[in-house]
Amino acid sequence: MKMLVTGGAGFIGGNYAHMMVHQYPEDQIVVLDALTYAGNLETLEPIMNEPNFKFVKGNICDREFVYQLFEDEKFDVVINFAAESHVDRSIENPEIFLETNIMGVQVLMDACRKYGIRRYHQVSTDEVYGDLPLDRPDLLFREDTPIHTSSPYSASKASADLLVLAYHRTYGLPVTISRCSNNYGPYHFPEKLIPLIISRALNDEPLPVYGEGANVRDWLYVTDHCSAIDLIVRKGKPGEIYNIGGHNERSNLEVVKTILKELGKPESLIHFVKDRPGHDLRYAMDPTKIETELGWKPEYSFDTGIRRTIEWYLNNKEWWTHIINGEYQNYYAEMYKDRV
Ligand code: NAD
Ligand code: DAU
């Protein structure tokens, strides 16, 4: 099987490419990535010279280029991770989110129709369901929970989901969609909460916690997300949506305190800062469908996953110091200047 993994130089796509290259030596894995600020070839370095792996630099919005790639490579399956993925950036500049996350998806699906594929898989997010109240732990997102988005990022991802389902119904494109909760693990760009807190705590820098740190996220170790997608691509039913999550709800403050404890750093590093506009209160997934229909089970609890993650950041300082010593400095200064 030949698979196209778009956005494979990013966090989750990179972990997925590593997993596929090792798990399926008989398959061909091609990563297509535009190498935006979030794309990093150092993430792919460990697999770059594997015989079943190839990297191609390019933009999913570039129709001519994408068509040529499909014509040359004749992919069997396409797994689309490519996206602008950071909520705070979408609040500052929504436009690129609409381009990549919606128009890019259209280009990919048009290429799939033109050249033929066995499966197009869209990697979506729990954020398309909006948020849940903090005082109703009984409520969880199900696949039939209505779409109700809060940020330009989540609105762009929800738009893409609707387009993907429209291509299935109208053109019969064999699509699947997965909606996962918050991921964490190796190669996570340090603009997101967990790697930001680990890298700043290791440098004894103040840790920005939005509002009171009471917002809740449902955390999943990244390789558990990857194994779920692999199962959906191989065994999932065309036209179906699958929720992915491992029942690991934690408030942001709990997450930050856990990391500080593991690192032996003081809680005095915590700084409560101005809240994110439109900040979703709580995400919580019901993964019953993928568990019962496809037999998926996560391997890591939050306690085991966070330890593994911290260990990775301790052992791979070079990977993240290359990032935070570059353009990231300007990003951090700009993004956080009005929050203090
Ligand atoms: P990321 O920002 O780390 O990586 C995105 C990758 O896409 C980068 O390598 C970037 O260079 C590439 N890219 C961006 N625009 C592109 C374009 N126009 N053409 C080609 N490549 C482009 O993101 P991530 O956290 O790995 O998320 C991957 C996917 O999973 C996204 O679709 C996101 O919405 C979804 N998702 C993420 C999470 C999470 O917790 N991180 C949870 C659920 C779903
Ligand atoms: O739920 C899935 C989504 O998870 C994905 O679709 C997104 O691509 C991914 O970025 C993530 O979105 P979040 O907004 O939940 O992740 P983030 O790491 O940005 O923030 C997690 C929580 O931590 C959120 O409540 C905001 C808070 N936060 C974040 C940052 C960066 C802080 O308190 N301080 C911070 O500095």
Side-chain angles (χ1 to χ4, degrees):
M1 178 160 94
K2 192 181 254 194
M3 63 176 93
L4 174 64
V5 178
T6 63
F11 166 45
I12 309 174
N15 277 281
Y16 189 78
H18 282 234
M19 185 185 271
M20 293 303 102
V21 162
H22 294 124
Q23 203 161 307
Y24 301 105
E26 69 285 6
D27 287 350
Q28 292 295 314
I29 291 94
V30 178
V31 160
L32 165 64
D33 198 293
L35 297 181
T36 68
Y37 80 90
N40 188 348
L41 281 183
E42 287 180 43
T43 297
L44 295 173
E45 214 252 329
I47 54 171
M48 204 51 109
N49 294 322
E50 294 295 333
N52 62 340
F53 179 77
K54 180 160 133 186
F55 175 77
V56 179
K57 182 170 188 266
N59 193 319
I60 59 165
C61 302
D62 183 342
R63 188 175 289 273
E64 212 176 304
F65 163 80
V66 169
Y67 281 11
Q68 191 61 52
L69 184 70
F70 273 66
E71 187 166 330
D72 294 343
E73 299 283 352
K74 304 190 175 30
F75 299 114
D76 298 298
V77 300
V78 174
I79 299 113
N80 180 32
F81 292 92
E84 288 294 330
S85 67
H86 191 31
V87 173
D88 291 326
R89 288 186 195 252
S90 83
I91 294 166
E92 295 301 312
N93 177 20
E95 194 164 339
I96 184 73
F97 284 74
L98 309 192
E99 278 172 28
T100 299
N101 298 2
I102 307 173
M103 302 310 287
V105 169
Q106 191 211 356
V107 169
L108 286 175
M109 289 194 301
D110 283 344
C112 289
R113 285 184 62 212
K114 190 169 161 69
Y115 295 98
I117 38 96
R118 293 209 314 252
R119 178 63 58 84
Y120 173 85
H121 182 76
Q122 174 69 7
V123 180
S124 185
T125 167
D126 59 358
E127 297 201 15
V128 302
Y129 299 121
D131 61 354
L132 296 163
L134 291 174
D135 60 355
R136 288 290 308 274
D138 55 311
L139 295 181
L140 302 174
F141 295 134
R142 294 157 36 111
E143 286 81 359
D144 57 4
T145 299
I147 298 274
H148 185 83
T149 55
S150 311
S151 70
Y153 163 71
S154 56
S156 70
K157 294 295 289 184
S159 307
D161 284 11
L162 294 176
L163 199 60
V164 170
L165 295 173
Y167 269 57
H168 175 67
R169 174 150 177 172
T170 304
Y171 306 117
L173 197 71
V175 305
T176 37
I177 295 175
S178 53
R179 293 176 176 157
C180 189
S181 59
N182 285 63
N183 283 214
Y184 64 104
Y187 302 112
H188 202 181
F189 194 89
E191 66 187 349
K192 309 284 168 53
L193 180 72
I194 287 183
L196 182 137
I197 296 298
I198 297 174
S199 54
R200 290 184 67 83
L202 283 171
N203 288 335
D204 298 306
E205 290 168 320
L207 310 177
V209 173
Y210 298 168
E212 293 170 0
N215 302 59
V216 169
R217 297 294 182 263
D218 184 0
W219 295 97
L220 189 72
Y221 191 70
V222 62
T223 53
D224 282 328
H225 184 187
C226 295
S227 69
I229 293 174
D230 183 43
L231 206 56
I232 297 167
V233 168
R234 285 164 202 270
K235 302 211 172 103
K237 243 175 77 194
E240 292 291 311
I241 297 167
Y242 297 89
N243 281 355
I244 309 171
H247 298 291
N248 285 299
E249 287 182 57
R250 298 283 187 287
S251 75
N252 294 337
L253 197 53
E254 280 178 276
V255 169
V256 174
K257 286 185 176 176
T258 303
I259 295 171
L260 288 174
K261 199 164 161 214
E262 286 291 329
L263 291 175
K265 298 284 184 180
E267 289 187 6
S268 56
L269 286 175
I270 295 173
H271 282 225
F272 293 101
V273 300
K274 204 169 136 196
D275 212 348
R276 172 186 282 175
H279 198 172
D280 281 335
L281 290 174
R282 170 177 167 251
Y283 305 142
M285 276 305 208
D286 180 351
T288 305
K289 178 173 171 179
I290 189 168
E291 287 174 351
T292 53
E293 288 185 18
L294 303 183
W296 175 80
K297 278 244 165 306
E299 196 179 337
Y300 298 96
S301 66
F302 186 71
D303 292 343
T304 52
I306 196 73
R307 260 182 238 124
R308 225 179 143 82
T309 304
I310 291 172
E311 211 174 279
W312 188 88
Y313 279 83
L314 286 170
N315 293 333
N316 292 275
K317 260 190 166 166
E318 229 178 84
W319 183 88
W320 56 269
T321 45
H322 284 170
I323 295 172
I324 63 171
N325 290 339
E327 169 57 28
Y328 182 86
Q329 301 267 338
N330 299 332
Y331 160 79
Y332 193 88
E334 252 321 286
M335 184 61 84
Y336 288 83
K337 71 176 192 300
D338 297 327
R339 288 203 193 273
V340 193

